[in-house]
Amino acid sequence: MSAAREPIVIAHRGACGYLPEHTLEAKALAIGLGADFIEQDVVITRDGVPIVTHDIFLEDVTDVAARFPGRARADGHYYAIDFTLEEIRALRRFERVDDQGHVVFPRRFPSTQVHFGVNTLGEEIEFLQGINRSLNREAGLYTEVKYPAWHRRQGQDISRIVLDTLSKYGYRDADSNVYFQCFDALESRRVRHELGSRLKLIQLVGENAWKESSTDYDALRSDAGLDEVADFAQGIGPEISQLVRWDETGRPGSTGLAARARARGLKIHPYTHRVDALPPSAPDSDAVLRALFDEERVDGVFSDFTDVVVRFLSKTPASTPTTPASQSECR
Ligand code: CA
């Protein structure tokens, strides 16, 4: 079943503002804090198993370099696809570090001896379904396939693998409590039309400079591009700055993208709300959430800080359908 209420809070990599990203601990905390959907980023192991981690390489979030010295490729990266699931199970996760080894978010969970592991997609789904049952909740999945074109060049059809796994656990229809997300628009179209998925699909929107996929994101944000997206997806997942930007005085200004997407019936789920990494010139977290929910009228947001968004939305009753128009216009 789909979540009944909107807007939705999507726990970006779990409650990763408080616990290392994509750990089951971070996922459990996110449900406890009230998230409607829990995000999984998925990559594939050497033996073809979908695992939940953000990057196609492992060294920024695990001790792979210390445990398997000499297993990096020529570019210095330790690719998940070069390791078996058994090897990956031996890894310890920690807070994300940059390529200099410095912690990216210094105020988050500290370095400890606690063992955080890397889990398969199947394990995470069982874990979330278990908590849903014991808490009588219906937190959904929000599953991203990472670099599908790259995975195929490595011999793995990641979308097919992930769709099969979701289907095995009962997620296969338009009203299944899952969103399927991808940056690669060619792949999104393939998932819908060639692989025949009926799942709700969100087309993520990047910037061409990121080299995230072969998709031309400038074209995708045009009216014609959004028309095409509406043919295979239920919504878009843009970066916050693609919807709204703040000037030097801290005033928000709309780009107009949200309105154009909404006019085509597309949901809008921007990324990523972080209280410790605000968009440029945004005065504070509340200002970001006000601009997104009150001005841009987004349908949900990815956040590292589920509880902050839940608290904000609980104080914002105006979008409930029972509110008289005269009251909502007063806001
Ligand atoms: Ca993601």
Side-chain angles (χ1 to χ4, degrees):
M1 277 202 301
S2 296
R5 70 186 177 97
E6 282 187 321
I8 59 169
V9 183
I10 306 153
H12 181 244
R13 311 180 198 174
C16 74
Y18 306 111
L19 282 161
E21 65 183 56
H22 284 314
T23 57
L24 294 184
E25 291 84 350
K27 306 301 170 87
L29 182 57
I31 294 187
L33 293 176
D36 301 296
F37 287 84
I38 311 293
E39 192 199 26
Q40 302 78 40
D41 291 306
V42 181
V43 307
I44 304 296
T45 66
R46 184 173 180 169
D47 37 353
V49 181
I51 59 169
V52 181
T53 198
H54 181 262
D55 304 308
I56 51 179
F57 40 83
L58 295 162
E59 67 271 13
D60 292 347
V61 290
T62 76
D63 61 352
V64 65
R67 191 166 290 264
F68 295 104
R71 294 277 296 276
R73 291 191 184 184
D75 63 4
H77 289 307
Y78 294 76
Y79 287 84
I81 208 160
D82 294 335
F83 294 83
T84 63
L85 177 61
E86 191 183 346
E87 289 173 326
I88 286 170
R89 283 199 194 285
L91 301 178
R92 297 173 70 103
R93 260 190 192 282
F94 42 65
E95 265 295 318
R96 171 171 291 276
V97 296
D98 62 20
D99 51 12
Q100 305 297 313
H102 299 128
V103 174
V104 174
F105 298 104
R107 287 190 226 158
R108 297 190 180 184
F109 195 85
S111 174
T112 67
Q113 294 302 306
V114 177
H115 184 95
F116 296 108
V118 180
N119 301 97
T120 69
L121 177 60
E123 287 165 345
E124 176 159 332
I125 294 172
E126 289 192 29
F127 182 81
L128 297 176
Q129 288 186 338
I131 300 181
N132 274 339
R133 180 175 161 137
S134 56
L135 276 178
N136 195 24
R137 285 279 304 278
E138 286 186 24
L141 310 180
Y142 208 117
T143 309
E144 179 180 355
V145 293
K146 306 297 291 194
Y147 296 93
W150 181 88
H151 270 99
R152 272 217 294 287
R153 289 198 295 277
Q154 308 291 319
Q156 297 288 355
D157 187 346
I158 184 172
S159 294
R160 203 179 281 274
I161 291 170
V162 168
L163 288 173
D164 286 350
T165 304
L166 292 172
S167 177
K168 179 181 157 197
Y169 287 99
Y171 303 88
R172 55 181 85 95
D173 296 308
D175 65 350
S176 296
N177 203 7
V178 58
Y179 281 97
F180 186 98
Q181 43 163 345
C182 186
F183 272 104
D184 185 332
L186 270 181
E187 188 74 3
S188 300
R189 191 191 304 269
R190 172 177 177 257
V191 163
R192 176 67 77 223
H193 293 309
E194 188 184 322
L195 301 183
S197 174
R198 297 188 296 269
L199 300 180
K200 291 185 288 293
L201 220 149
I202 296 293
Q203 176 61 50
L204 298 172
V205 187
E207 293 288 345
N208 291 344
W210 301 348
K211 309 246 185 287
E212 181 75 41
S213 75
S214 63
T215 301
D216 179 344
Y217 295 106
D218 294 336
L220 190 144
R221 289 197 297 271
S222 70
D223 284 349
L226 291 173
D227 284 343
E228 282 186 40
V229 170
D231 174 52
F232 57 80
Q234 277 60 54
I236 57 169
E239 194 189 35
I240 290 172
S241 67
Q242 294 170 338
L243 300 182
V244 54
R245 298 200 184 103
W246 284 262
D247 67 17
E248 270 124 51
T249 69
R251 276 161 54 116
S254 177
T255 66
L257 175 61
R260 290 191 296 114
R262 190 164 43 249
R264 290 161 173 80
L266 293 164
K267 304 257 188 218
I268 304 147
H269 295 166
Y271 61 90
T272 302
H273 167 258
R274 299 182 169 105
V275 301
D276 55 357
L278 297 170
S281 300
D284 54 41
S285 160
D286 252 28
V288 174
L289 296 175
R290 271 199 309 275
L292 291 176
F293 287 107
D294 297 351
E295 304 302 325
E296 301 299 323
R297 294 164 52 209
V298 301
D299 304 283
V301 70
F302 289 87
S303 179
D304 290 3
F305 297 86
T306 287
D307 55 325
V308 176
V309 185
V310 167
R311 207 157 49 232
F312 175 86
L313 290 175
S314 72
K315 292 185 292 197
T316 311
S319 59
T320 55
T322 51
T323 304
S326 58
Q327 280 186 25
S328 62
E329 280 164 12
C330 293
R331 288 171 51 252

